[in-house]
């Protein structure tokens, strides 16, 4: 049995360009679907958040229209209820990578608020990349990669092929003109080789031990790819 660390945003809002606090958190499917893949294979999941706060789910991620209808929404809600580890997270600042076999970051707009500038998360990402352990990051969670910058100003993910929530998707979601910055733009600016699939379709990119997914639909295939690497 492997032990997999889920690093989840502790933010309950995302500050927009006009200073408005938009309610958010983590995206339910992006946490629940991988959790079910990993625990279904017999592995253990531990949740970490900044400061050890209990994470907030983005209520919008529980709506039928983003889950393929009411039946899908009910399944995600039930999966969230069963994900007990979310209610007893450890503090991200105290995490020892040696205790884990893989690391996974679910998205939602929350990481744009806190993990994008969190030094403990940045150190963990840098260490995980260097360790060769499987590292999975999906949708808006690649915002956390922005904090993986060393003392010399270089980012650990420069030159890596990866993906994340695209400008096209942010535009279709109605937030591109409200955001302080767009994830795709920032990842390109740090020197990542950003790959873009069709909006809202599953799209997963692997480069060395890094596995990234573009959007919520990429959560399950990303988790299945990580599972292969965990053995």
């Amino acid at each position: 049995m492997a032990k997999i660390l889920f690093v989840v945003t502790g933010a309950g809002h995302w500050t927009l360009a006009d200073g408005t606090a938009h309610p958010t958190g983590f995206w339910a499917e992006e946490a629940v679907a991988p959790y079910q893949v990993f625990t279904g294979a017999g592995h253990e999941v531990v949740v970490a958040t900044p400061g050890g706060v209990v994470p907030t789910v983005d209520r919008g991620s529980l709506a039928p229209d983003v889950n393929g209808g009411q039946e899908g929404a009910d399944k995600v809600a039930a999966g969230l209820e069963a994900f007990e580890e979310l209610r007893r997270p450890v503090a991200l600042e105290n995490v020892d990578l040696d205790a884990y076999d893989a690391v996974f970051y679910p998205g939602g707009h929350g990481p744009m608020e806190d993990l994008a500038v969190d030094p403990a998360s940045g150190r963990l990402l840098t260490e995980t990349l260097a360790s060769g352990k499987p590292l999975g990051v999906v949708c808006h969670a690649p915002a956390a990669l922005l904090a993986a910058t060393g003392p010399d100003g270089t980012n650990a993910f420069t030159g890596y092929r990866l993906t994340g929530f695209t400008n096209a998707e942010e535009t279709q979601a109605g937030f591109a003109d409200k955001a302080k910055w767009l994830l795709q733009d920032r990842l390109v600016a740090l020197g990542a080789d950003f790959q873009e699939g069709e909006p809202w379709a599953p799209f997963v990119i692997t480069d060395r031990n890094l596995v990234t997914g573009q959007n919520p639909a990429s959560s399950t295939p990303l988790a299945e790819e990580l599972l292969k690497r965990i053995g």
Side-chain angles (χ1 to χ4, degrees):
M1 181 179 74
K3 188 185 265 191
I4 302 162
L5 181 70
F6 274 45
V7 180
V8 182
T9 176
H13 74 276
W14 174 37
T15 306
L16 302 179
D18 65 359
T20 304
H22 174 71
T24 187
F26 68 89
W27 197 259
E29 180 184 0
E30 295 169 24
V32 169
Y35 176 77
Q36 292 173 337
V37 169
F38 298 139
T39 58
H43 300 307
E44 178 185 355
V45 167
V46 174
V47 172
T49 62
V53 300
V54 175
T56 300
V57 66
D58 187 319
R59 305 305 300 180
S61 68
L62 301 176
D65 63 342
V66 297
N67 288 294
Q70 189 61 52
E71 184 180 348
D74 291 344
K75 284 182 180 177
V76 167
L80 196 61
E81 183 63 28
F83 192 163
E84 295 179 359
E85 292 86 348
L86 281 168
R87 295 187 280 279
R88 40 184 171 84
V90 301
L92 177 57
E93 297 79 5
N94 298 334
V95 163
D96 179 1
L97 179 61
D98 290 343
Y100 301 95
D101 300 287
V103 177
F104 172 69
Y105 279 65
H109 278 116
M112 303 274 281
E113 185 74 20
D114 62 351
L115 297 180
V117 293
D118 189 291
S121 174
R123 285 192 298 272
L124 177 67
L125 286 165
T126 302
E127 289 173 15
T128 308
L129 205 58
S131 74
K133 293 180 179 183
L135 171 61
V137 193
V138 70
C139 201
H140 284 94
L145 310 189
L146 303 176
T149 302
D152 61 356
T154 59
N155 188 283
F157 293 87
T158 299
Y160 273 76
R161 293 178 69 247
L162 52 78
T163 190
F165 204 66
T166 64
N167 290 354
E169 287 167 322
E170 203 70 89
T171 299
Q172 291 175 25
F175 286 106
D177 59 349
K178 300 176 184 176
K180 287 183 179 179
W181 48 271
L182 298 177
L183 179 59
Q184 180 175 345
D185 292 347
R186 284 290 179 91
L187 293 172
V188 169
L190 69 76
D193 181 5
F194 191 92
Q195 306 288 309
E196 184 174 356
E198 288 298 314
W200 312 110
F203 187 67
V204 174
I205 291 289
T206 62
D207 187 349
R208 288 157 275 187
N209 57 319
L210 176 65
V211 185
T212 51
Q214 180 172 311
N215 46 36
S218 307
S219 302
T220 296
L222 185 155
E224 289 169 346
E225 180 61 33
L226 278 186
L227 200 59
K228 292 179 198 169
R229 292 161 179 256
I230 293 166

